[in-house]
Amino acid sequence: MAVIEAPSPARRLVVTPVAGPLAALVLACVFFGVNSDQFLTGPNFSLIIQQVMVVGTLAIGQTLIILTAGIDLACGAIMAFGGIVMTKLAVDHGLPPLLAVAAGLAVCAAFGLVNGLLVTRISLPPFIVTLGMLNVAFALTHIYSNEQTVVGLPGLLTFLGQTFQVGQTNVTYGSLLTILLFLLFAYLLGSTAWGRHVYALGNSPEVARLTGIRTRRLTVGVYTLAGFVYGIAALLLVSRTGVGDPQAGQTDNLDSITAVVLGGTSLFGGRGLVIGTLVGALIVGVFRNGLQLMGVPSIYQTLITGILVILAVAVDQLSRRRNR
């Protein structure tokens, strides 16, 4: 009997969806390192992580939803509303900071719950549901905040923006939390039955249902959990900026989708890794930071990001055709 050898770790790395994005990230770092003396420094890498930690955290929730073959256009607006709820309750209503944070997290999770129920119970397309919820969350943010930025936040709300030193580099606690969240969800998706069910749901909802997976309950749970993650992103945003800003997050929904797509997750569901999303977020951060150090106008940064997204989706589409 022939013995089938298991693929080597190197082989598994090459065939994983993360391989291409990781290679692109390394090449980008080499390019910008050659063209800028400031790029390959600890403080600059710390700055890049700080710049992507909010969108990266949003992209974790976005990854969960896209893996189920859905999409969330409202994540940035939900995050902004959660941030306003936290800061208004703590500053204007005198609620203890921990309770204010809990309320903000609960509100964001509630938005996710409603999204999930509309998708499963009424069978509305995720695109339409979240497009509508984008407007709802945006309006509620401006109504509740009275168009005013909330300042004078208590220390607990800005704690994650504080730094600790690693060598000669200052690292924020928020950056550490973001990395821990990516590791947690990488474990949940890769090593638990729940994670396998999420992938099965994205590959084929009907097959998943026939195998005994409660697809409706799972979908609602995914959207609710994603909403909770958006609440964590809201806390990170508040900690980094030191204010509750009703104008925040207006393009973060698209940035989060960009990070997911660049990280190798298929927009058709069922394929991708959350670590790939981290790589995708870092690609965006590295390009924007590197081009800025080189003095390239910001409009060209947007142009290049758009081209990268189109290329990533094209590669995914070609890969799907080859595997049919």
Side-chain angles (χ1 to χ4, degrees), residues 235-248:
L235 179 59
L236 289 169
L237 177 64
V238 167
S239 297
R240 184 165 187 262
T241 61
V243 298
D245 183 7
Q247 304 295 335

Side-chain angles (χ1 to χ4, degrees), residues 92 125 226 270:
D92 292 353

Side-chain angles (χ1 to χ4, degrees), residues 118-170:
L118 290 173
V119 169
T120 57
R121 301 300 177 182
I122 310 182
S123 299
L124 294 177
F127 182 91
I128 298 300
V129 170
T130 58
L131 179 61
M133 201 59 70
L134 163 65
N135 292 296
V136 171
F138 178 81
L140 289 177
T141 299
H142 287 263
I143 291 170
Y144 184 52
S145 67
N146 292 318
E147 307 283 351
Q148 300 295 315
T149 299
V150 184
V151 298
L153 306 185
L156 184 63
L157 288 181
T158 59
F159 170 75
L160 292 175
Q162 298 179 20
T163 63
F164 62 95
Q165 201 163 33
V166 178
Q168 301 298 317
T169 302
N170 291 323

Side-chain angles (χ1 to χ4, degrees), residues 5-291:
E5 295 184 0
S8 66
R11 172 64 179 169
R12 289 197 297 267
L13 178 62
V14 170
V15 299
T16 181
V18 182
L22 187 59
L25 177 61
V26 172
L27 290 174
C29 289
V30 171
F31 173 79
F32 291 121
V34 170
N35 287 277
S36 173
D37 295 335
Q38 302 177 46
F39 183 81
L40 294 176
T41 63
N44 189 56
F45 278 120
S46 177
L47 176 61
I48 291 172
I49 295 175
Q50 291 177 50
Q51 290 172 338
V52 304
M53 68 181 185
V54 174
V55 169
T57 302
L58 277 179
I60 294 175
Q62 189 75 253
T63 302
L64 297 178
I65 292 174
I66 289 178
L67 283 175
T68 67
I71 198 165
D72 192 347
L73 300 177
C75 59
I78 293 172
M79 174 191 69
F81 185 58
I84 287 296
V85 168
M86 293 177 189
T87 53
K88 289 277 287 184
L89 289 178
V91 175
D92 292 353
H93 301 285
L95 201 68
L98 278 177
L99 290 180
V101 170
L105 294 173
V107 165
C108 291
F111 268 99
L113 174 62
V114 173
N115 284 340
L117 289 174
L118 290 173
V119 169
T120 57
R121 301 300 177 182
I122 310 182
S123 299
L124 294 177
F127 182 91
I128 298 300
V129 170
T130 58
L131 179 61
M133 201 59 70
L134 163 65
N135 292 296
V136 171
F138 178 81
L140 289 177
T141 299
H142 287 263
I143 291 170
Y144 184 52
S145 67
N146 292 318
E147 307 283 351
Q148 300 295 315
T149 299
V150 184
V151 298
L153 306 185
L156 184 63
L157 288 181
T158 59
F159 170 75
L160 292 175
Q162 298 179 20
T163 63
F164 62 95
Q165 201 163 33
V166 178
Q168 301 298 317
T169 302
N170 291 323
V171 179
T172 64
Y173 290 102
S175 300
L176 180 61
L177 174 60
T178 300
I179 293 171
L180 291 176
L181 284 172
F182 271 102
L183 294 175
L184 171 62
F185 279 94
Y187 169 77
L188 291 176
L189 287 171
S191 304
T192 67
W194 176 82
R196 291 190 290 274
H197 291 171
V198 170
Y199 282 105
L201 175 62
N203 278 315
S204 174
E206 182 61 20
V207 172
R209 186 185 66 82
L210 292 175
T211 60
I213 297 174
R214 297 181 176 181
T215 54
R216 285 188 174 183
R217 178 180 296 184
L218 179 61
T219 302
V220 172
V222 165
Y223 276 86
T224 304
L225 180 57
F228 182 82
V229 173
Y230 303 156
I232 298 176
L235 179 59
L236 289 169
L237 177 64
V238 167
S239 297
R240 184 165 187 262
T241 61
V243 298
D245 183 7
Q247 304 295 335
Q250 294 190 21
T251 62
D252 286 349
N253 55 344
L254 300 180
D255 288 342
S256 69
I257 296 171
T258 298
V260 175
V261 171
L262 289 180
T265 295
S266 173
L267 286 173
F268 302 96
R271 180 177 181 270
L273 298 171
V274 73
I275 294 300
T277 297
L278 174 59
V279 174
L282 288 174
I283 289 174
V284 175
V286 162
F287 266 90
R288 290 179 177 174
N289 177 270
L291 292 172

